[in-house]
Amino acid sequence: MRDFHMPGRSAVYATNGMAATSHPLAAAAAIDILKSGGNAVDAAIAGAVLLGLCEPQMTGIGGDCFALISEPGKDVVSINGSGRAPAGASAARLREAGHETVPIGSADAVTIPGALDAFDRMSARWGKLGLADSLAPAIRYMDEGVPVAPRVAFDWAAQIDTLQGAAREHFLTEGHAPAVGAPFSLPGQAEVLRRVAKDGARAFYEGEVAEDMLATLRGLGGVHTEEDFRAVEATFGDPIEGSYGGAELLEHAPNGQGATAILLLNILKKFDLARMDPWGTERAHIEAEATKLAYDARNRFLADPDHMTRLDHMLSQETADKLAGLIDPRRAQAAVTEISEAVHKDTIYITVVDKDRMAVSLIYSIFHGFGSGIASEKFGILFQNRGAGFSLKEGHPNEMAPGKRPMHTIIPAMLRENGAVSMPFGVMGGQYQSAGHARMVTNWRDFGLDPQDALDAPRSFAEGDTLQVERGYAAQVREELAEMGHKVVVPDGPIGGAQAIRIHENGTLEGASDPRKDGAALGY
């Protein structure tokens, strides 16, 4: 259903299995795993780890992940593969040094990478082939190299100054960002993955690889220890749930920001979006105002689940009803609060559904573009700066503390209808992700858009004191929004990126991949 006059991609249909992600090689690797007898978990790990080479500015083994896994007839399980602050972390020390936020390019911003432990545990619990088979595509490509894709080259050139020290040796070519089509390899990381394939994730968190990481971090003033790395443990749990338009929305629980998406949709329930022009002024305004209020709650309450006391408040429809009552349908309000910690727009997302209809929704990130910009000397492991997601405000639920997980922007999601998961999906784009989830759900449920059309459609996002409005909107809409008091900005690049797989009742799989990225949905 394409009634908004925008060129878009065609949906992809298949019956045996499907993968959708932001780089074609990663989608193809996931499909190859399915064809060789692996399941959705085996395939999702394969595609995700390969993306650390295909999109190194977005993700890598020095980062974190979250996942939702659905098996037919069973409850959906969430996996929290986000790392913790080292035992020596101290918000007070950073405040005393004059910092109001965690410096994004410092060792203080580096939390312990959690993704590889999560992949190991996921493979052991659900995989059919084993971790070594899932890592094999990434190992081969990291040795051989892959050509740099256009969107990746664009990001690389824009973020080159982030890289420091050894990272410039591992991630630049003679001091320059590689051009489109230039081969890029990570032989040091290939060796790390060979060791993990043989001995499991402990080969990453202990021994020579851990020593390499620790030497680099300590050399830059980090307080990380061998025990911090040995203590990494991904955790399993239950998703949190909301509802909209007759479907259930499953989100990862905090420390991810999925609760914000549920709160935002609960606010939007109070408005008749379906009667509005989907690309008109009224819808963009109402969503912007609801987003400001939902993100205000996020900024004040969301944190490590062991330190968060207001989750029920965020998920309550009563809370949403009160917030909806604050919205003026004709006038923009100022941003309610500004987030004190750092935000970003860089991550990868992959979703896979296999022949048995096991579904995986997985998101994997190093936070900012090229993370902290710090890489280990020998193996070239690029560290996330997810610790910059902590607040330094004393007493804040998300205040940096030893062993604590920071608030994360990355969130995987699933829709469930009539008791069965009908669509795993995810929206990349850092702070945008919760608003992106709400936009995708309302595109599907209020306006009847097919998954690909919903991804192709133009986006807007109330960020800080601006309303970002993509070029796909009419000039008149931007003018009317400005007249309502919004500070309208046309972003230089696209807002986010997304992937989805629709599981139809007749067994057909329908894949969608956002044209804002270089990726693809592939099936067989």
Side-chain angles (χ1 to χ4, degrees):
M1 175 185 167
R2 201 173 261 118
D3 61 356
F4 44 90
H5 309 296
M6 285 185 63
R9 291 180 170 181
S10 297
V12 176
Y13 293 89
T15 55
N16 293 295
M18 186 164 286
T21 192
S22 50
H23 196 285
L25 289 180
I31 292 296
D32 286 345
I33 292 289
L34 294 181
K35 288 181 177 179
S36 66
N39 64 17
V41 168
D42 298 314
I45 294 170
V49 177
L50 178 53
L51 285 164
L53 172 69
C54 297
E55 300 184 58
Q57 83 285 15
M58 294 285 185
T59 196
I61 57 177
D64 284 351
C65 73
F66 292 89
L68 299 177
I69 296 179
S70 168
E71 294 180 273
K74 297 183 180 181
D75 292 336
V76 175
V77 178
S78 65
I79 299 91
N80 187 330
S82 66
R84 300 176 183 274
S90 169
R93 174 175 58 83
L94 292 176
R95 288 195 296 266
E96 289 166 5
H99 297 293
E100 295 183 357
T101 59
V102 180
I104 62 175
S106 70
D108 289 310
V110 180
T111 46
I112 311 301
L116 268 183
D117 183 74
F119 295 152
D120 195 357
R121 294 176 189 274
M122 288 166 58
S123 179
R125 178 165 173 174
W126 287 286
K128 293 173 66 176
L129 300 182
L131 187 61
D133 282 6
S134 289
L135 297 180
I139 293 171
R140 177 169 67 87
Y141 279 116
M142 284 182 177
D143 276 328
E144 296 176 359
V146 300
V148 175
R151 173 63 191 273
V152 176
F154 173 84
D155 291 339
W156 211 314
Q159 298 162 348
I160 188 173
D161 291 339
T162 300
L163 297 167
Q164 52 186 296
R168 297 185 70 83
E169 299 297 322
H170 291 286
F171 291 90
L172 297 178
T173 303
E174 298 181 349
H176 301 285
V180 175
F184 176 71
S185 61
L186 288 171
Q189 291 196 26
E191 174 58 25
V192 172
L193 293 179
R194 274 190 286 271
R195 298 183 187 195
V196 173
K198 179 176 180 291
D199 298 321
R202 289 303 98 190
F204 179 82
Y205 294 102
E206 300 174 10
E208 186 182 13
V209 176
E211 291 168 5
D212 179 45
M213 292 189 283
L214 283 163
T216 298
L217 293 169
R218 287 170 175 168
L220 294 171
V223 297
H224 310 72
T225 67
E226 290 88 347
E227 180 53 35
D228 291 325
F229 276 81
R230 283 196 298 268
V232 171
E233 182 178 354
T235 53
F236 298 90
D238 300 317
I240 54 176
E241 300 180 13
S243 63
Y244 191 89
E248 297 170 275
L249 175 64
L250 307 183
E251 294 277 0
H252 201 290
N255 50 317
Q257 62 167 335
T260 315
I262 293 173
L263 173 57
L264 178 49
L265 284 169
N266 282 342
I267 295 172
L268 293 176
K269 286 178 185 176
K270 305 300 290 183
F271 300 89
D272 187 5
L273 294 188
R275 70 162 180 79
M276 301 177 189
D277 177 351
W279 324 122
T281 304
E282 186 178 12
R283 182 195 184 194
H285 169 71
I286 293 298
E287 285 189 352
E289 298 306 287
T291 296
K292 294 172 187 176
L293 295 165
Y295 277 57
D296 172 59
R298 182 200 72 172
N299 297 348
R300 289 187 288 123
F301 302 135
L302 207 143
D304 183 314
D306 293 336
H307 298 263
M308 183 178 177
T309 60
R310 305 298 300 277
L311 179 59
D312 289 344
H313 172 76
M314 284 189 69
L315 299 179
S316 165
Q317 186 62 53
E318 181 181 358
T319 298
D321 291 347
K322 291 178 179 178
L323 292 175
L326 301 176
I327 293 175
D328 185 337
R330 292 171 295 278
R331 194 71 191 162
Q333 62 179 327
V336 186
T337 63
E338 287 291 340
I339 191 166
S340 61
E341 55 270 27
V343 297
H344 82 308
K345 295 185 177 180
D346 299 293
T347 189
I348 68 90
Y349 173 81
I350 184 169
T351 179
V352 182
V353 178
D354 65 25
K355 62 181 176 60
D356 297 319
R357 298 307 180 253
M358 171 185 274
V360 176
S361 182
L362 187 154
I363 200 159
Y364 173 38
S365 173
I366 52 173
F367 200 29
H368 286 74
F370 290 111
S372 63
I374 302 168
S376 67
E377 293 279 345
K378 180 173 183 178
F379 295 109
I381 298 166
L382 189 66
F383 297 107
Q384 65 183 10
N385 58 343
R386 190 55 72 170
F390 281 120
S391 174
L392 294 184
K393 291 182 178 179
E394 189 170 4
H396 192 286
N398 191 38
E399 181 184 9
M400 174 184 277
K404 189 174 180 179
R405 285 169 160 159
M407 191 275 280
H408 267 257
T409 50
I410 59 174
I411 46 174
M414 291 180 170
L415 282 182
R416 186 167 58 194
E417 299 172 86
N418 302 317
V421 168
S422 58
M423 188 184 304
F425 75 97
V427 179
M428 297 161 278
Q431 188 167 212
Y432 174 67
Q433 291 183 45
S434 292
H437 283 203
R439 168 57 70 102
M440 302 312 295
V441 172
T442 56
N443 277 352
W444 290 319
R445 307 306 295 184
D446 286 318
F447 301 107
L449 297 185
D450 296 333
Q452 186 62 58
D453 295 333
L455 270 56
D456 291 342
R459 295 174 182 153
S460 60
F461 177 45
E463 183 173 23
D465 65 349
T466 66
L467 178 58
Q468 307 284 322
V469 180
E470 284 188 330
R471 289 178 173 85
Y473 277 90
Q476 181 181 346
V477 171
R478 290 193 289 271
E479 292 168 4
E480 291 172 351
L481 288 168
E483 290 171 359
M484 298 175 80
H486 294 283
K487 184 179 177 181
V488 176
V489 174
V490 179
D492 293 333
I495 297 176
Q499 314 288 334
I501 300 174
R502 174 76 169 164
I503 305 170
H504 290 275
E505 291 184 4
N506 66 0
T508 297
L509 301 175
E510 179 185 357
S513 181
D514 200 322
R516 294 169 180 82
K517 297 284 186 176
D518 293 316
L522 299 177
Y524 78 107

